Amino acid sequence: MLRDADIALHQAKARGKDYPYVLFDSAMYDRMVMTMQLERDLRHALERQEFQVFFQPIVNLATGRVKGFEALARWRHPERGLVSPADFIPLAEETMLILPLGRQVLAESCRRLAAWTRSCPGRMPITVSVNLSSKQLLDADLVVAIGRLLTETGCDPALLELEITESVLIDNSDAARALLNSLRDLRIRLSLDDFGTGYSSLSYLHQFPFDTIKIDRTFIQPMEHNASRLEIVRAIVALARALGKTVVAEGLETREQVERLTELGCDFGQGYYFARP
């Protein structure tokens, strides 16, 4: 009874003040056991190098040429196969395992960039975008670690772009501002990810030194059948151009979406229409 009550209490706290109580059921226990198993596997995966970095191209909508790639972590589990990031990224965040995982993704991205620069100089500059989590932003050694990584791999920092979501900035605005300025001092490019999904989008554009704005897929997908979403996308593109920032549209899946965004003046796009990661 104590164990089950503790599980229900944990669920109630996780749901917030809108849920003053939670009744225990056996499914909660099953989920807890599954989560504990997944956490154990996650720790082993980091030790056994089971994570791989997949790259999804970011394409210049006007020319059709590849501008760069977004680096995405994938877990090739020995028994479960390819595990969805939706299943392991939140757990990695909760357990702080996102820190070693994030370092692995950054290291592989820098190594790949350096290798491309040596082997395909005629195709450069090609950039790689890497997501930074909220936990990484709170890591006091992050800037030093990235600087060391750039030196060790021989990666040109101007080819590395770090993506930060709006929700991260809401919770850690002061720490994030100092960190982003330090990263800019290393000549690293910065991108505001999932633009439009936060609460203070416009204020972030002048508070933080972003080079790129990424329009979230939730605005792109219904754009063809929802006039208000189309106007939001049009406004974001116009605002970005007025501020001298480039725009990337995420989640492109149809030719119609690509053509419409090109007409609106959007600079780049990524999604299944061009390639899966």
Side-chain angles (χ1 to χ4, degrees):
M1 287 180 65
L2 285 172
R3 182 201 67 190
D4 295 348
D6 190 56
I7 293 172
L9 177 62
H10 180 75
Q11 291 288 322
K13 288 180 177 178
R15 294 183 185 183
K17 296 179 180 179
D18 293 335
Y19 295 86
Y21 64 88
V22 170
L23 298 178
F24 174 83
D25 63 64
S26 58
M28 290 182 186
Y29 177 75
D30 295 337
R31 284 196 299 270
M32 185 194 73
V33 172
M34 187 180 302
T35 300
M36 290 174 64
Q37 177 67 43
L38 189 63
E39 181 182 347
R40 189 182 69 179
D41 290 352
L42 193 58
R43 294 182 185 278
H44 290 162
L46 286 164
E47 297 168 1
R48 298 168 183 169
Q49 302 289 314
E50 293 176 4
F51 288 99
Q52 296 177 294
V53 180
F54 283 28
F55 295 89
Q56 185 174 36
I58 300 171
V59 177
N60 185 314
L61 296 182
T63 66
R65 289 179 61 86
V66 173
K67 169 256 186 190
F69 299 90
E70 180 176 357
L72 300 164
R74 294 291 184 267
W75 181 8
R76 201 172 292 281
H77 193 283
E79 297 174 1
R80 300 173 58 182
L82 209 59
V83 181
S84 168
D87 292 333
F88 70 84
I89 291 295
L91 181 60
E93 292 262 7
E94 184 180 339
T95 58
M96 298 300 288
L97 293 174
I98 195 69
L99 297 181
L101 175 57
R103 286 194 291 268
Q104 285 188 14
V105 174
L106 265 171
E108 175 60 19
S109 300
C110 289
R111 283 194 291 267
R112 194 67 65 91
L113 273 171
W116 288 338
T117 302
R118 291 191 299 270
S119 61
C120 308
R123 293 296 303 274
M124 303 306 283
I126 292 290
T127 61
V128 170
S129 302
V130 181
N131 291 282
L132 281 186
S133 74
S134 58
K135 300 298 189 295
Q136 287 174 285
L137 279 176
L138 297 176
D139 183 2
D141 298 325
L142 179 66
V143 176
V144 174
I146 292 177
R148 187 184 307 118
L149 190 59
L150 292 169
T151 302
E152 292 172 353
T153 59
C155 174
D156 182 352
L159 302 180
L160 180 64
E161 187 161 327
L162 299 178
E163 297 187 5
I164 297 93
T165 62
E166 281 191 82
S167 57
V168 170
L169 300 180
I170 293 170
D171 298 329
N172 309 286
S173 59
D174 292 335
R177 187 180 297 106
L179 175 68
L180 297 185
N181 285 325
S182 297
L183 291 171
R184 282 304 300 269
D185 291 341
L186 294 177
R187 296 194 300 120
I188 294 172
R189 295 178 60 82
L190 301 171
S191 175
L192 180 59
D193 197 13
D194 298 340
F195 184 80
T197 60
Y199 298 98
S200 304
S201 306
L202 297 179
S203 67
Y204 293 145
L205 293 182
H206 67 83
Q207 285 186 47
F208 299 96
F210 291 109
D211 303 285
T212 302
I213 295 172
K214 300 193 78 172
I215 305 176
D216 189 69
R217 65 177 62 245
T218 56
F219 293 105
I220 301 300
Q221 294 301 322
M223 185 178 63
E224 298 167 78
H225 310 290
N226 188 316
S228 63
R229 292 300 176 97
L230 175 61
E231 291 307 314
I232 289 173
V233 173
R234 188 193 307 274
I236 293 173
V237 173
L239 176 63
R241 297 187 76 84
L243 296 174
K245 303 180 187 301
T246 58
V247 187
V248 178
E250 298 182 293
L252 298 183
E253 296 182 356
T254 68
R255 183 176 183 83
E256 290 73 23
Q257 290 171 347
V258 172
E259 291 175 347
R260 178 56 62 90
L261 284 161
T262 304
E263 293 171 2
L264 293 177
C266 183
D267 301 295
F268 306 102
Q270 70 181 98
Y272 286 179
Y273 176 79
F274 299 110
R276 292 176 177 269

